[in-house]
Amino acid sequence: MAGLTVLDVSASPAREWVRDGLVLVGDSAHTHGPLGARGIDPALQDAAALHPVLVAALHAGEPTAQRLAAYRERRAPAASAVHRMQVVQSRAVFGGGPPAAALLRARAAGSSPAPRSARG
């Protein structure tokens, strides 16, 4: 079995999700880490929330940031909640915790944790 490689992952929202004639959805608006495989679900939820807002803006001939902002206002709290949940999960999986957590992390990585005396 090959060695384990940990990748740097960052998760954060874009400063702006909407501008006149432009809308960001999914990872372009709010990246999430891979933990919990939460990439496609928020993107699909974004698209569903955006649809009525975008249709109304286009029908009125005004795809302005002001009209499209309703989409961001609706989705930003959910995207933020997913991010907070992933931070908690990440700390539980990768950071500190009781000896049982170290054992579970080591088993998931395919290795054995260092004996207590070797950890210092």
Side-chain angles (χ1 to χ4, degrees):
M1 181 169 146
L4 178 67
T5 301
V6 179
L7 303 174
D8 284 340
V9 176
S10 64
S12 62
R15 286 189 184 96
E16 296 178 72
W17 292 20
V18 296
R19 286 189 182 174
D20 291 348
L22 174 72
V23 181
L24 301 178
V25 297
D27 280 347
S28 64
H30 47 80
T31 59
H32 297 292
L35 192 61
R38 292 288 305 171
I40 193 68
D41 288 342
L44 293 172
Q45 293 164 5
D46 284 357
L50 174 60
H51 179 261
V53 174
L54 185 57
V55 167
L58 292 173
H59 183 70
E62 298 176 352
T64 62
Q66 184 177 4
R67 289 198 68 139
L68 299 171
Y71 148 72
R72 185 191 190 287
E73 291 167 8
R74 180 172 175 195
R75 290 295 302 147
S80 181
V82 169
H83 178 72
R84 285 191 309 272
M85 176 188 65
Q86 286 191 321
V87 168
V88 170
Q89 289 174 331
S90 177
R91 287 180 183 150
V93 172
F94 299 114
L103 176 65
L104 290 173
R105 285 191 299 274
R107 291 249 170 115
S111 63
S112 299
R116 229 179 238 286
S117 60
R119 285 188 251 158

